[in-house]
Amino acid sequence: QIQLVESGGGLVQAGGSLRLSCAASGTTLSTRSMGWYRQVPGKLRELVAAISTGPKTNYRDDVKGRFTISRDNAKNLVYLQMNSLKPEDTAVYYCNAGSWFGGSYVRSESWGQGTQVTVSS
């Protein structure tokens, strides 16, 4: 069974940076495509960034140029570097171990517990 643990969230001022980490057990991340999602209360969980085993990456439009997803296969970790943070980036961030199909990330039901990111104005 895959277990994912996110860390690195916190409170930061607008314009600041955070790096989120996702550690996995029960799977080897080098063989999985991975995604970072975020969710605010009352809204659906949305894909922020994804990385294939290739690795190919894709990002939602409003984080392009500010966020970078990467992986360290030796450490079985996936990262989300978030720069130039905005108040609208405030959310709980989750990582997901999924797959890649047709040039797009396909999520699974393997989720971590999430890490809160709060950006103050």
Side-chain angles (χ1 to χ4, degrees):
Q1 184 175 355
I2 298 172
Q3 290 189 320
L4 303 171
V5 178
E6 301 93 340
S7 62
L11 173 63
V12 64
Q13 288 188 330
S17 298
L18 285 172
R19 188 177 78 161
L20 306 183
S21 299
C22 174
S25 59
T27 188
T28 302
L29 290 188
S30 61
T31 66
R32 303 297 297 264
S33 294
M34 299 294 295
W36 281 99
Y37 285 74
R38 66 187 181 191
Q39 188 171 25
V40 298
K43 292 191 176 182
L44 295 175
R45 197 168 293 189
E46 59 187 22
L47 180 64
V48 176
I51 186 166
S52 73
T53 57
K56 296 181 180 179
T57 58
N58 61 31
Y59 300 88
R60 56 181 292 115
D61 286 345
D62 59 359
V63 306
K64 286 180 180 177
R66 299 190 298 122
F67 290 11
T68 303
I69 188 171
S70 62
R71 61 199 310 156
D72 185 334
N73 291 333
K75 296 182 178 178
N76 221 32
L77 291 170
V78 175
Y79 303 105
L80 184 67
Q81 178 68 44
M82 305 186 296
N83 298 328
S84 301
L85 282 160
K86 304 176 181 180
E88 51 263 44
D89 295 319
T90 295
V92 179
Y93 284 71
Y94 300 87
C95 66
N96 180 265
S99 58
W100 203 269
F101 181 77
S104 299
Y105 182 76
V106 180
R107 77 183 200 183
S108 72
E109 291 312 305
S110 298
W111 298 98
Q113 83 291 345
T115 186
Q116 176 71 48
V117 172
T118 303
V119 184
S120 63
S121 57

